[in-house]
């Protein structure tokens, strides 16, 4: 460690990248290099800066907010000098560590739109994944990408396909023509997808729910690919596959296309998810209780979803109250995530429930005296 201070910028970068690539944990070394590099960060080359930035998430090493904020400002000042690969890799690094630097993502968004023809298939998919992972609302970029992607689809590998459709679904951005073209390319190669990639891809098509691609998601080749990986899916994959299975039931004859034991395994994984109540939910439930409305909290319905608050109105009408916190929306917007819209759509279609969503900011802004009237209005009482 004492020698690290004598390293050149390139030496620091190369050292980090070597350890990260080899998967060799060296937390003390990584931390020391970060401390030495931060005051000198403006002296690093573009390549060195992006390479160093990428080494930390690959090594699962967490750094301070100050470190990432400083690098973000340097990248913003140099954005026009960065190659498409460097822009893509920088965004990937920030998204992977969970530091979403809105100013950087905004500047990079505009730069990417201006230079979109410079981005190859991997750069495109990586960039889209990063914006979705950051929850950054960017409809203009997604529209531009949807026009540029078809000419490169023959160069997309299966991971690129997965990252692309997952990004559009996570950001709840509809692009039927793009999804249709991707389905045409993906179907003959469906057996090449790994378990996570296949589950993510099918989930994305379920979220977007376009009529023109329903045949793809129910195709025998897709069913066979899922069944062939039956023992390789992890918990998260099985949860996504359950939502796909529900979707197949919705548009089929109400029966699963999967072997019964596998379908049950997906359901069991899905219902195993934690459904702990939030303070906001408990507060709304308390007000509903004072209104003498019959209700239950954290109810599992037949589809497997957990309903925040299930009401029974007029002894017959069942209404699902979904208390939507910040995680249910794209950051800084009132736009629900793809996952939120999917849940509401499926419990309406499959469980026969009317869904009333209570956005967190609307409730927080209410004076206590107005809460009952607000709920009566939302419930049309």
């Amino acid at each position: 460690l004492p020698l690290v201070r004598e390293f050149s910028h390139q030496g620091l970068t190369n050292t980090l990248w070597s350890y990260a690539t080899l998967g060799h944990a060296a937390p003390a070394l990584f931390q020391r290099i970060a401390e030495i590099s931060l005051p000198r960060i403006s002296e690093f080359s573009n390549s060195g800066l992006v390479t160093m930035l990428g080494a930390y998430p690959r090594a699962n090493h967490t750094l301070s907010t100050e470190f990432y904020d400083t690098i973000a400002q340097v990248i913003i000042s140099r954005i026009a000098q960065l190659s498409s690969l460097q822009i893509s890799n920088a965004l990937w690094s920030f998204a992977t560590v969970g530091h979403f630097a809105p100013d950087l993502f905004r500047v990079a968004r505009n730069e990417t739109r201006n230079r979109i023809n410079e981005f190859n298939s991997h750069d495109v998919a990586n960039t889209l994944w990063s914006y979705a992972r950051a929850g950054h609302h960017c409809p203009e970029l997604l529209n531009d990408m949807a026009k540029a992607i078809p000419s490169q689809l023959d160069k997309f590998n299966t991971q690129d396909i997965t990252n692309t459709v997952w990004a559009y679904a996570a950001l709840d951005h509809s692009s039927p023509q793009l999804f249709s073209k991707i389905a045409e390319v993906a179907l003959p190669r469906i057996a090449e997808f790994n378990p996570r990639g296949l589950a993510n891809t099918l989930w994305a098509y379920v979220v977007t729910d376009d009529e023109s691609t329903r045949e793809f998601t129910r195709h025998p080749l897709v069913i066979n690919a899922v069944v062939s990986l039956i023992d390789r899916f992890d918990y998260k994959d099985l949860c996504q596959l359950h939502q796909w299975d529900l979707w197949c039931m919705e548009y089929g004859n109400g029966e699963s296309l999967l072997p019964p034991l596998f379908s049950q395994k997906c359901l069991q994984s899905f219902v195993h998810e934690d459904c702990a109540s939030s303070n906001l939910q408990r507060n709304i439930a308390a007000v509903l209780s004072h209104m003498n409305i019959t209700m239950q909290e954290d109810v599992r319905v037949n589809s497997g979803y957990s309903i925040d608050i299930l009401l029974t109105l007029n002894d017959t009408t069942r209404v699902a109250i979904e208390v939507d916190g910040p995680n249910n929306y794209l950051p800084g917007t009132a736009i629900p995530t793809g996952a939120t819209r999917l849940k509401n759509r499926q419990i309406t279609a499959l469980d026969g429930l009317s869904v009333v969503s209570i956005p967190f900011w609307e409730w927080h802004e209410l004076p206590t005296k107005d809460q009952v009237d607000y709920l009566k209005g939302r419930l049309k009482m």
Side-chain angles (χ1 to χ4, degrees), residues 31-44:
Q31 188 63 37
R32 185 60 178 148
I33 289 178
E35 293 168 357
I36 292 172
S37 301
L38 191 58
R40 302 159 54 187
I41 204 69
S42 62
E43 301 171 16
F44 280 69

Side-chain angles (χ1 to χ4, degrees), residues 220-263:
L221 288 177
V222 172
I223 308 298
N224 290 339
V226 171
V227 173
S228 71
L229 297 171
I230 192 169
D231 294 321
R232 295 178 56 193
F233 291 114
D234 66 13
Y235 164 78
K236 182 179 178 180
D237 301 334
L238 292 171
C239 289
Q240 290 181 312
L241 289 175
H242 176 68
Q243 291 172 303
W244 166 70
D245 198 23
L246 290 175
W247 184 88
C248 290
M249 294 179 199
E250 180 182 352
Y251 291 104
N253 59 4
E255 296 181 3
S256 173
L257 298 179
L258 296 174
L261 289 179
F262 187 24
S263 180

Side-chain angles (χ1 to χ4, degrees), residues 281-299 308-313 319 321:
Q281 177 183 323
R282 287 190 289 271
N283 182 242
I284 293 173
V287 176
L288 287 166
S289 178
H290 288 140
M291 294 167 64
N292 295 319
I293 296 176
T294 302
M295 67 171 190
Q296 297 172 275
E297 291 189 69
D298 302 321
V299 179
D308 290 338
I309 305 172
L310 183 61
L311 308 180
T312 302
L313 304 177
V319 176
I321 296 283

